[in-house]
Amino acid sequence: MWRPVRLCRFHSALLQSRQKPWPCPAAFFRSLRAPPARASRPTPLWRRVLPATMVGVPLLFGVYYVTAEAREKRKLRIAVDGIRRFGRSLRIGLNISLDYWWCTNVTLRGVEENSPGYVEVMSACHQRAADALVAGAISNGGLYIKLGQGLCSFNHLLPPEYIQTLRVLEDKALTRNLGEVDQLFLEDFHALPSELFQEFDYQPIAAASLAQVHRAKLHNGTPVAVKVQYADLRDRFDGDVHTLELLLQLVGLMHPSFGFGWVLQDLKGTLAQELDFENEGRNAERCAQELKHFHYVVVPRVYWEKCSKRVLTADFCEGCKINDLVTIKSQGLEVQDVAQKLVQAFAEQIFYTGFIHSDPHPGNVLVRKGPDGKAELVLLDHGLYQFLDEKDRSALCQLWRAIILRDDAAMKTHSAALGVEDYLLFSEVLMQRPVRLGQLWGSHLLSREEAAYMQAMARDHFDNIMVVLKELPRPMLLVLRNINTVRSIVTVLGNPVDRYFLMAKSAIRGWSRLVATAYQGIYSSSLLRHVKVFWELFKFEVALRLETWGMRLTSLMVRILVHLGLVPQNKELYQYLET
């Protein structure tokens, strides 16, 4: 049996006095790596809260999204997607700005402005910018596509690369899934389309910037077009406007001469009108009433029982786009007749009724053969209208009259009535042609300086044009848009009519009504009043015809001078004189 050994006090003290043995090498190196002992500190609050927040917030967000209603889910998706749209827009804007800066300050440094190399480089830069804008507009959709469509009408200010590329936006939009259409009808009508219509085709026949159009039949068999707004458009409108405002401010800082932020400010209210389809229906009925004396103008009838602020139901009208020359000719219609009716209809609104369709791009004006075998115009998309009050309309008619009569004093007076000081430049912007062609006859030949002025008016006077546009009454901006859009359509049709003459005739009619009202209180005799009005109209008509013949004679004179070798050939000058 094992027993403990007992040592005497002497041996026990001897053992305790011996030195301790050396530790093993591994233990020695472990002691070197070990950090010195520290006093324990409490974990900071943010270190404990951050992991919980990173896990808890997405979890709560997911639970809320799963349990939320369909409309709330859509708003949450829009909020998240808005960040992505903003980033995409900012990237495109910066890339375009830097591309222009690099081309003008590095690539083309020291290169003559009108040289072939300069033109080639800038054309490529314009094309890259236009491609980026179109791609961004299609990706973002909605308001971005709407603004891209508006830029198409300014083909006399923008480079041709922009116009040719942006035209794809006229009929471009993002189609939506079937469930979204059903959800919108449930929200607005508490019924599905199949309950409201005898037939409803979920496949859209057209997709616009704000809505898509479906073909359907009422329960009585009437074919109708149902315009259904994109369900998320109202929710994302404010966010998109703020994004565009910020981007335009940045562009204005980097390129001061291209500051268009004020345009968006002025158009915010009018663009919001287009989101109210009930307002569009009322505009359509007023347009039909005011143009009913033009038998060739067709405005689809609205069926109010099938309408809401996001759904518009109207007659289904067949037709081709007004710039589709091939189809127009295949129907046996005359292009000249189509162009003349287009100019007369919209000039009537500008100078006579004052209730003006502000978005008459080719997708909104269809052409079809009428009962008389001639062209009928179907006017669509009445969401954006502008009313020009009698005071501004009177000033506009009288300014047009003063330009034709070459009355500088009256031109200055009536331009000032519209808030514009530079009346000559404003008159050229309004007419889109030189207002001082008579000066060409004062010199022996068409000087190079005058020719250069006519070629580069829009380019060289761009800053002044912007000043003129800012000075105008805000309703006039959409009036100019209407004039520009009609002019661009007539140009695509080959300028078969004298648009300048036709619009002036409408100005005569509008002015004559105002004159008749003004003279009613001055001349007690109805006969004297009619004689005075007739005399003014006669002077206007004669001056107008002389002006038109002078334009044609000037163009012929230029061609003769070129043929004789006295003036260098210039295709742009010919086109400017003709249009």
Side-chain angles (χ1 to χ4, degrees), residues 363-376:
N364 290 338
V365 183
L366 304 182
V367 179
R368 69 183 189 185
K369 180 179 287 189
D372 58 354
K374 296 183 178 180
E376 284 185 344

Side-chain angles (χ1 to χ4, degrees), residues 5 32 135 156 193 217 266 302 320 361 365 391 478 513 534 552 560:
V5 179
L32 291 179
H156 63 301
K217 280 187 179 181
D266 293 327
V302 178
C320 66
H361 68 79
V365 183
K391 173 179 172 293
L478 292 179
R513 184 183 63 173
F534 175 80
R552 293 174 180 172
I560 293 175

Side-chain angles (χ1 to χ4, degrees), residues 381-412:
D381 195 354
H382 300 268
L384 184 58
Y385 267 73
Q386 185 62 62
F387 180 71
L388 194 63
D389 61 33
E390 187 169 335
K391 173 179 172 293
D392 291 336
R393 195 162 68 252
S394 173
L396 183 61
C397 290
Q398 293 183 77
L399 175 60
W400 206 289
R401 173 178 177 271
I403 294 172
I404 295 170
L405 296 177
R406 301 184 181 280
D407 187 344
D408 280 15
M411 289 167 58
K412 187 174 183 179

Side-chain angles (χ1 to χ4, degrees), residues 291 294 296-297 340-349 377:
L291 298 182
F294 288 153
Y296 55 82
V297 173
Q340 180 173 339
K341 290 176 176 177
L342 172 73
V343 174
Q344 287 178 336
F346 288 115
E348 181 80 358
Q349 291 185 332
L377 303 183

Side-chain angles (χ1 to χ4, degrees), residues 26-153:
F28 175 75
F29 287 108
R30 281 199 303 269
S31 66
L32 291 179
R33 291 195 301 266
R38 294 183 180 179
S40 61
R41 296 181 182 178
T43 305
L45 179 61
W46 67 270
R47 285 192 175 181
R48 287 179 292 174
V49 172
L50 183 61
T53 303
M54 295 177 65
V55 175
V57 170
L59 182 62
L60 291 175
F61 183 82
V63 172
Y64 178 76
Y65 181 81
V66 171
T67 58
E69 297 180 354
R71 179 172 292 186
E72 291 299 322
K73 288 182 179 179
R74 185 171 66 242
K75 290 183 178 180
L76 292 174
R77 290 196 302 269
I78 291 171
V80 174
D81 190 54
I83 300 175
R84 185 173 57 189
R85 292 197 308 275
F86 173 79
R88 181 188 298 120
S89 303
L90 182 62
R91 174 178 55 81
I92 292 173
L94 291 176
N95 285 342
I96 292 175
S97 296
L98 291 175
D99 193 8
Y100 273 106
W101 181 89
W102 184 265
C103 287
T104 55
N105 294 279
V106 179
T107 306
L108 296 175
R109 186 174 183 179
V111 180
E112 187 179 352
E113 184 173 350
N114 293 323
S115 64
Y118 182 94
V119 173
E120 182 180 357
V121 171
M122 287 307 299
S123 177
C125 185
H126 293 328
Q127 188 61 56
R128 290 193 298 271
D131 291 337
L133 286 176
V134 169
I138 293 175
S139 299
N140 289 338
L143 182 60
Y144 295 85
I145 292 180
K146 194 69 179 177
L147 292 178
Q149 292 174 349
L151 290 175
C152 293
S153 61

Side-chain angles (χ1 to χ4, degrees), residues 41 53 61 66 69 129 205 231 275 323 329 362 375 426 456 471 474:
R41 296 181 182 178
T53 303
F61 183 82
V66 171
E69 297 180 354
I205 58 175
L275 298 180
N323 60 352
K329 293 179 179 179
F426 174 51
E471 292 175 346
R474 292 304 168 245

Side-chain angles (χ1 to χ4, degrees), residues 274-513:
E274 295 191 79
L275 298 180
D276 185 354
F277 285 179
E278 291 178 347
N279 178 69
E280 179 176 347
R282 291 190 293 269
N283 289 344
E285 290 186 339
R286 179 173 176 179
C287 173
Q289 177 65 26
E290 293 182 347
L291 298 182
K292 64 181 180 180
H293 55 286
F294 288 153
H295 64 278
Y296 55 82
V297 173
V298 178
V299 178
R301 173 191 172 189
V302 178
Y303 296 91
W304 287 106
E305 66 277 8
K306 301 291 190 300
C307 294
S308 70
K309 288 190 176 297
R310 296 188 294 177
V311 177
L312 180 68
T313 304
D315 281 332
F316 181 85
C317 297
E318 297 279 0
C320 66
K321 291 173 61 175
I322 194 168
N323 60 352
D324 188 352
L325 278 172
V326 175
T327 306
I328 290 175
K329 293 179 179 179
S330 66
Q331 298 181 64
L333 302 176
E334 295 183 2
V335 177
Q336 180 179 359
D337 181 52
V338 173
Q340 180 173 339
K341 290 176 176 177
L342 172 73
V343 174
Q344 287 178 336
F346 288 115
E348 181 80 358
Q349 291 185 332
I350 293 172
F351 297 112
Y352 191 70
T353 69
F355 190 62
I356 303 163
H357 193 308
S358 301
D359 193 21
H361 68 79
N364 290 338
V365 183
L366 304 182
V367 179
R368 69 183 189 185
K369 180 179 287 189
D372 58 354
K374 296 183 178 180
E376 284 185 344
L377 303 183
V378 181
L379 303 186
L380 307 175
D381 195 354
H382 300 268
L384 184 58
Y385 267 73
Q386 185 62 62
F387 180 71
L388 194 63
D389 61 33
E390 187 169 335
K391 173 179 172 293
D392 291 336
R393 195 162 68 252
S394 173
L396 183 61
C397 290
Q398 293 183 77
L399 175 60
W400 206 289
R401 173 178 177 271
I403 294 172
I404 295 170
L405 296 177
R406 301 184 181 280
D407 187 344
D408 280 15
M411 289 167 58
K412 187 174 183 179
T413 299
H414 300 307
S415 293
L418 291 170
V420 180
E421 294 183 6
D422 192 343
Y423 68 93
L424 285 176
L425 182 59
F426 174 51
S427 299
E428 291 184 346
V429 171
L430 182 65
M431 296 287 189
Q432 290 141 20
R433 57 172 291 275
V435 299
R436 290 296 190 88
L437 273 179
Q439 293 178 350
L440 299 179
W441 299 97
S443 58
H444 297 291
L445 295 175
L446 182 65
S447 69
R448 293 181 182 272
E449 290 76 10
E450 288 167 334
Y453 162 75
M454 295 168 66
Q455 295 169 32
M457 189 276 266
R459 183 184 70 247
D460 295 343
H461 295 199
F462 186 82
D463 293 341
N464 294 333
I465 291 174
M466 294 300 297
V467 172
V468 168
L469 294 178
K470 289 182 181 180
E471 292 175 346
L472 283 172
R474 292 304 168 245
M476 279 296 298
L477 291 176
L478 292 179
V479 173
L480 289 177
R481 178 181 177 180
N482 179 292
I483 294 173
N484 284 326
T485 305
V486 171
R487 179 191 55 78
S488 64
I489 294 175
V490 174
T491 302
V492 172
L493 295 177
N495 294 304
V497 296
D498 191 339
R499 183 184 60 88
Y500 169 73
F501 180 83
L502 292 175
M503 292 194 68
K505 290 281 288 184
S506 295
I508 293 174
R509 180 177 180 182
W511 179 84
S512 65
R513 184 183 63 173

